[in-house]
């Protein structure tokens, strides 16, 4: 394995690495700032720059690089299949203060993989070989990859891992499911462990890292250099701080329901603009609250009532009733059993959704 010191210095030397997973329409400059307020990860990754023959640098994504006030490195993520255009956009991004270029080989959204980009490319190792070869020649700094185990099976998994080695990738973030498994299967941590042994670069384990304690268990099971956390950080932005505390043997920060209400207010202030119609603002906040609500009450009453709200008065009134009636009650470290943020995407019997 390449030494971890090929990567930007972590917040705490000697501890496993942490990263906030790139999530489209979530990990913008505002959300990164909120996460940093509660305890930054070692690394941030941007939403993906969609790359094609007429694409440029999306201004709202570029802001998370040019206006980054977190104090932590930001990797610029690309998604696309046009080799020349991927090289072109990577070159344009090299003029900005990025920690490296990250290639998305894992997005499981059908509207994405049907275009043979993101997770769709996992069906075509020859194309991945061409893309990685061209990017490795063009990118003078760090080149990283985020991927899944395969498209609908793992037949190409070892071959793609060997391509990671051939093209001297600096960091692999590996979600332990196939594209078709979306988020509704068990995570195959054994295959992440296999990748850790096979590739020459550090690996970040991704998938169902739901708490600091879960992070510790995943690190033990996989031998990975660190963890990449996505949806759990929406639910609990303290998770990176808690993970460092847990891994170093310190007491973990106890989060109260009142602190969660403050977090929701912070999201409200930075994530929505007054010029946006109220219905859209409510919908946007529900995106976050669907995750936060997994740890509010075991019966799921908050989730049920929140989802029925139509106005901001109704929505935040619900937040006040459930979070401020007993403000010192601890916020659950793990989601309560049976509560899912996106029922259509996270239950095995449901239709697959992006």
């Amino acid at each position: 394995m390449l030494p971890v010191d090929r990567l930007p210095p972590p917040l705490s030397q000697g501890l496993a690495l942490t990263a906030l997973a790139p999530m489209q329409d979530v990990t913008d400059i505002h959300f990164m700032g909120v996460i940093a307020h509660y305890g930054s990860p070692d690394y941030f990754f941007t939403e993906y720059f969609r790359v094609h023959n007429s694409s440029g640098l999306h201004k709202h994504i570029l802001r998370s690089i040019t206006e980054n006030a977190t104090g932590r490195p930001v990797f610029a993520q690309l998604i696309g299949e046009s080799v020349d255009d991927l090289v072109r956009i990577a070159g344009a991004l090299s003029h900005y203060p990025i920690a490296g270029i990250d290639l998305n080989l894992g997005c499981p959204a059908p509207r994405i993989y049907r275009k043979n980009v993101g997770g769709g490319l996992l069906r075509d190792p020859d194309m991945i070989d061409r893309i990685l070869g061209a990017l490795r020649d063009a990118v003078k700094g760090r080149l990283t990859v985020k991927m899944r185990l395969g498209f609908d099976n793992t037949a190409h998994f070892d071959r793609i891992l060997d391509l990671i080695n051939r093209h001297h990738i600096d960091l692999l973030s590996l979600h332990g499911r196939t594209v078709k498994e979306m988020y509704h299967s068990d995570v195959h941590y054994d295959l992440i462990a296999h990748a850790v042994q096979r590739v020459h670069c550090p690996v970040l384990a991704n998938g169902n890292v739901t708490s600091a304690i879960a992070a510790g268990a995943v690190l033990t099971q996989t031998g990975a250099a660190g963890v990449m956390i996505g949806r759990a950080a929406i639910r609990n932005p303290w998770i990176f701080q808690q993970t460092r505390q847990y891994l170093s043997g310190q007491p973990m920060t106890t989060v109260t329901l009142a602190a969660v209400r403050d977090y929701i207010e912070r999201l409200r202030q930075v994530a929505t603009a007054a010029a946006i119609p109220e219905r859209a603002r409510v919908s946007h906040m529900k995106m976050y609250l669907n995750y936060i609500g997994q740890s509010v009450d075991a019966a799921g009453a908050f989730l049920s009532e929140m989802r029925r709200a139509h106005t901001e008065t109704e929505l935040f009134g619900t937040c006040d009733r459930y979070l401020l009636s007993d403000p010192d009650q601890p916020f659950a470290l793990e989601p309560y059993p049976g509560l899912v943020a996106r029922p259509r995407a996270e239950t095995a019997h449901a239709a697959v959704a992006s």
Side-chain angles (χ1 to χ4, degrees), residues 132-143:
L132 291 181
L135 284 174
R136 183 71 283 175
D137 287 342
V139 174
K140 304 310 177 187
R142 301 179 189 92
L143 178 61

Side-chain angles (χ1 to χ4, degrees), residues 68-354:
N68 172 25
T70 67
R72 302 308 306 153
V74 178
F75 289 80
Q77 183 191 197
L78 308 183
I79 193 169
E81 77 288 358
S82 168
V83 175
D84 290 343
D85 292 303
L86 285 164
V87 168
R88 174 176 59 84
I89 294 298
L93 284 165
S94 70
H95 299 291
Y96 293 91
I98 59 172
I101 295 291
D102 185 63
L103 179 67
N104 182 314
L105 295 178
C107 181
R111 64 184 176 85
I112 296 297
Y113 71 64
R114 287 174 186 147
K115 299 174 184 176
N116 204 40
V117 300
L121 278 170
L122 295 173
R123 296 171 291 195
D124 191 350
D126 289 337
M127 190 64 187
I128 293 173
D129 190 13
R130 288 181 56 204
I131 290 172
L132 291 181
L135 284 174
R136 183 71 283 175
D137 287 342
V139 174
K140 304 310 177 187
R142 301 179 189 92
L143 178 61
T144 69
V145 168
K146 186 179 191 304
M147 61 179 271
R148 286 186 172 231
L149 302 174
F151 184 72
D152 53 5
N153 59 56
T154 59
H156 298 312
F157 186 46
D158 278 349
R159 184 179 174 196
I160 295 172
L161 294 179
D162 290 343
L163 293 176
I164 297 295
N165 288 337
R166 179 186 304 171
H167 297 297
H168 306 291
I169 300 306
D170 295 298
L171 176 69
L172 172 64
S173 303
L174 182 58
H175 187 119
R177 297 182 177 101
T178 66
V179 169
K180 283 292 191 172
E181 285 175 324
M182 291 287 291
Y183 300 99
H184 52 243
S185 77
D186 291 337
V187 179
H188 306 288
Y189 295 116
D190 58 328
L191 293 181
I192 297 179
H194 172 74
V196 169
Q197 293 299 314
R198 193 174 185 102
V199 299
H200 300 157
C201 66
V203 175
L204 298 182
N206 180 222
N208 277 18
V209 184
T210 50
S211 67
I213 296 172
V218 168
L219 289 166
T220 298
Q221 186 172 349
T222 63
V227 290
M228 174 175 273
I229 302 172
R231 294 167 295 153
I234 302 175
R235 178 178 54 83
N236 172 18
W238 293 267
I239 194 168
F240 299 109
Q241 178 191 74
Q242 290 172 332
T243 297
R244 284 190 291 273
Q245 291 167 337
Y246 180 74
L247 294 178
S248 60
Q250 301 175 33
M252 284 190 292
T253 297
T254 297
V255 180
T256 65
L257 294 184
V260 173
R261 182 62 182 89
D262 288 342
Y263 164 50
I264 291 169
E265 189 61 27
R266 189 172 294 272
L267 287 172
R268 177 188 191 181
Q269 291 171 2
V270 302
T272 56
I276 299 173
E278 182 180 23
R279 183 175 179 180
R281 296 198 303 270
V282 168
S283 178
H284 190 78
M285 285 303 304
K286 284 182 179 182
M287 175 184 70
Y288 301 111
L289 293 172
N290 270 310
Y291 293 98
I292 296 168
Q294 292 177 290
S295 288
V296 172
D297 69 290
F302 170 79
L303 277 174
S304 179
E305 187 170 332
M306 175 275 294
R307 287 167 175 163
R308 294 196 302 269
H310 296 289
T311 67
E312 288 180 310
T313 297
E314 293 172 348
L315 186 68
F316 295 111
T318 299
C319 292
D320 290 344
R321 282 194 300 279
Y322 281 89
L323 299 171
L324 298 182
S325 61
D326 188 4
D328 294 327
Q329 179 181 329
F331 182 67
L333 285 175
E334 296 278 1
Y336 286 113
L339 300 186
V340 294
R342 300 178 303 173
R344 291 182 60 218
E346 296 177 42
T347 53
H349 58 79
V352 172
S354 63

